[in-house]
Amino acid sequence: PLGGEPDVPGAEYGFYKSRIGQERVGVSYRKSSYNGWVYTSIVSIDELNKEARDIGWFTLYLCLGILAAALLISYLGSRKMYRPIRNLYEIVRNSPDTDRTTATSDEFVLINERFRGLLQQESRLLQEVQGQSRNVKEYFVFKLFQSDMTKTEIRDRLLLFGDPLNWSGMCVMAVQIDTLSDTRFREQDMDLLLFAVNNIVAELVAAERRLPPVVMGESQITLLGGTESDPLRFKDQLDSLAQQIM
């Protein structure tokens, strides 16, 4: 015999809990509209709970397995990704330029500081190289004006410096200070004034139209060039440029 009653008496279908002896059961029923019969299904609640617990434990183990697999994959992936950083850190840390007393345990901080120092050092070296390059070019111009170089050597040096070789005409312009009388300058200031004139020429004349200007003796000298095919027009350009410098 079944105990218990449906939640809604007289309903055509429903579910309620009951007992068969000491066993708890769940009773689901549905009344047929065709013949008026009532069809019932009796299921042990303890068996349902046991299956539910088994499903719950299976779900828990499955989730834990997926989590463990994800953690393992993340760990292996992070180690693989971190290995180049670690190698770079070891190189930076063991570099003779790295101060052992200030070395930090944070790899990224140390690498950042080291690369920042390298960039600053690169900038200083670049400035020094540019300065040396200007000095070498000026030395080349000195030798060129003193006729201490062959034509092949001149061409090779121009190619090395990246200076244009397509000039159709060239001219040597020499600037001299004729007198310092009635000025606030003295003869001792002559060298300083010539170097000032040298800087003026370097600013007024585009780099592609000249070689580096130099000071020789009491003159400021510049080798000018142009691609103008008409000699008269080239001379007019030089006259205009000389007027600007004066």
Side-chain angles (χ1 to χ4, degrees), residues 10 31 46 71 86 92 107 115 122 125 135 137 149 172 236 242 245:
K31 184 178 180 180
D46 294 334
L71 291 175
R86 183 67 184 181
V92 172
E107 295 89 342
F115 272 98
E122 179 187 9
L125 289 175
N135 293 337
K137 284 185 176 182
M149 304 179 69
V172 177
D236 291 340
I245 294 173

Side-chain angles (χ1 to χ4, degrees), residues 116-130:
R116 185 179 302 172
L118 289 175
L119 290 176
Q120 293 175 352
Q121 185 176 1
E122 179 187 9
S123 178
R124 290 195 300 269
L125 289 175
L126 182 60
Q127 292 176 358
E128 293 178 4
V129 169
Q130 290 175 345

Side-chain angles (χ1 to χ4, degrees), residues 7 29 60 66 88-89 105 107 128 136 153 159 186 190 225 241:
D7 295 334
Y29 64 93
L60 177 62
I66 294 175
L88 182 60
Y89 169 72
S105 59
E107 295 89 342
E128 293 178 4
V136 171
E153 188 177 3
L159 286 173
R186 296 172 296 177
M190 183 65 73
L241 186 61

Side-chain angles (χ1 to χ4, degrees), residues 23-177:
E23 184 179 6
R24 295 184 304 163
V25 295
V27 181
S28 59
Y29 64 93
R30 176 179 290 273
K31 184 178 180 180
S32 174
S33 60
Y34 176 71
N35 52 21
W37 289 9
V38 178
Y39 297 91
T40 61
S41 175
I42 302 174
V43 181
S44 172
I45 293 179
D46 294 334
E47 289 294 330
L48 288 176
N49 291 339
K50 182 177 180 300
E51 292 180 3
R53 284 194 298 269
D54 292 341
I55 294 174
W57 283 111
F58 175 77
T59 304
L60 177 62
Y61 293 147
L62 180 63
C63 292
L64 290 176
I66 294 175
L67 179 60
L71 291 175
L72 179 62
I73 294 174
S74 299
Y75 173 72
L76 295 177
S78 62
R79 284 197 61 183
K80 184 176 181 181
M81 294 176 59
Y82 177 71
R83 189 176 296 115
I85 299 176
R86 183 67 184 181
N87 294 337
L88 182 60
Y89 169 72
E90 291 296 334
I91 294 174
V92 172
R93 188 170 65 90
N94 296 326
S95 173
D97 297 334
T98 302
D99 189 356
R100 297 291 191 278
T101 59
T102 59
T104 177
S105 59
D106 191 326
E107 295 89 342
F108 291 100
V109 172
L110 179 61
I111 293 174
N112 178 60
E113 292 177 352
R114 191 71 184 95
F115 272 98
R116 185 179 302 172
L118 289 175
L119 290 176
Q120 293 175 352
Q121 185 176 1
E122 179 187 9
S123 178
R124 290 195 300 269
L125 289 175
L126 182 60
Q127 292 176 358
E128 293 178 4
V129 169
Q130 290 175 345
Q132 293 294 332
S133 177
R134 286 193 295 270
N135 293 337
V136 171
K137 284 185 176 182
E138 290 178 0
Y139 177 69
F140 160 69
V141 174
F142 274 111
K143 293 187 65 178
L144 181 65
F145 286 142
Q146 293 171 355
S147 302
D148 289 340
M149 304 179 69
T150 64
K151 180 182 293 187
T152 303
E153 188 177 3
I154 293 172
R155 181 174 294 272
D156 292 342
R157 289 294 180 87
L158 288 174
L159 286 173
L160 178 63
F161 295 147
D163 287 309
L165 295 174
N166 59 342
W167 288 342
S168 57
M170 288 181 286
C171 171
V172 177
M173 181 179 66
V175 178
Q176 291 182 332
I177 299 175

